[in-house]
Amino acid sequence: MKSNEINNNIKFYIFLEVLKKYSNINPHEEISKEVKKTKLNHMILSVKEINEKMKTEIYERMNIELQQDLDRRTIYQYVDDLKELGFEITTYKDNKIGYALVTKDIERYELRILVDSLSANRFMTKKKTAELIGKLCKFQNEYAGYDFYKQVSIPDRAKSINEGILNNINSIDAAISRGKKLHLTIVIIIIKKN
């Protein structure tokens, strides 16, 4: 596939993914003049940055080099289309910096609750807990997700060593969804010290 054959729908999808992955804005925090210069606490992308990220993402996903940048009119159209689909996006007209996706799949506090629940559970292994936390962190943009992942600690307290327990959860879930009865055998071992 040549670069001029990249479908506009693919470009639109990659544009949305670039905004999700690399932009961030806190709607509860005002964008001051200092923030406009440094972009602190907000990751707002200029047209140039969007085009750089688009080229990188398309090359990584499709092994195709995008030769032509998105022009401003295309970006305006993509933003209008995303707004029509229900996404909240801040634009250059709003903030005099660039573009950022305000709508998030999951808020930071929601992610914190889920991650804390995973790290506190005792039925999953430490490895599986870290893997799931890593997957959850991908719901934030790349920078916030990585920063969040670094803050999480998985305690060394009693964690399961049984990797198969998650398969048991899948089996139990499948049985419940089919309306099957479950039969459990509980074995209690009592060790007496002499």
Side-chain angles (χ1 to χ4, degrees), residues 3-152:
S3 64
N4 58 357
E5 294 178 8
I6 297 175
N7 186 310
N8 196 40
N9 294 333
I10 293 172
K11 289 180 188 175
F12 177 74
Y13 174 77
I14 299 290
F15 177 77
L16 174 59
E17 290 299 307
V18 163
L19 288 181
K20 282 182 175 182
K21 190 172 180 180
Y22 298 106
S23 74
N24 182 46
I25 191 157
N26 184 346
H28 307 294
E29 190 175 308
E30 191 171 323
I31 303 173
S32 66
K33 289 180 183 178
E34 185 177 300
V35 168
K36 287 181 182 178
K37 290 178 189 172
T38 63
K39 297 184 182 182
L40 288 174
N41 300 323
H42 300 286
M43 290 178 288
I44 301 172
L45 302 174
S46 66
V47 171
K48 181 180 177 186
E49 290 169 322
I50 289 172
N51 278 309
E52 288 169 2
K53 304 288 186 197
M54 290 280 294
K55 286 179 180 180
T56 302
E57 289 291 319
I58 288 173
Y59 185 77
E60 286 176 0
R61 292 169 185 237
M62 303 174 72
N63 203 24
I64 296 173
E65 289 196 31
L66 185 63
Q67 299 297 324
Q68 186 177 0
D69 288 348
L70 295 179
D71 66 10
R72 291 185 185 278
R73 291 173 297 182
T74 303
I75 291 175
Y76 298 154
Q77 186 59 53
Y78 286 174
V79 168
D80 289 343
D81 291 346
L82 287 171
K83 284 182 175 180
E84 200 168 309
L85 289 169
F87 291 94
E88 187 180 350
I89 299 174
T90 182
T91 64
Y92 184 83
K93 202 184 305 181
D94 302 328
N95 59 46
K96 305 295 184 244
I97 301 173
Y99 302 86
L101 187 64
V102 178
T103 307
K104 295 182 180 74
D105 292 327
I106 188 168
E107 293 295 331
R108 192 171 173 90
Y109 72 90
E110 295 168 323
L111 182 62
R112 170 59 69 189
I113 291 168
L114 293 171
V115 166
D116 287 348
S117 298
L118 281 173
S119 62
N121 81 59
R122 293 174 184 228
F123 67 87
M124 282 195 313
T125 63
K126 190 172 183 175
K127 176 183 168 191
K128 192 63 176 177
T129 301
E131 182 182 321
L132 286 174
I133 289 172
K135 287 179 180 179
L136 282 173
C137 285
K138 290 181 180 177
F139 281 104
Q140 290 286 312
N141 68 58
E142 186 173 79
Y143 310 107
Y146 177 72
D147 186 45
F148 191 83
Y149 187 77
K150 287 190 318 186
Q151 295 173 8
V152 174

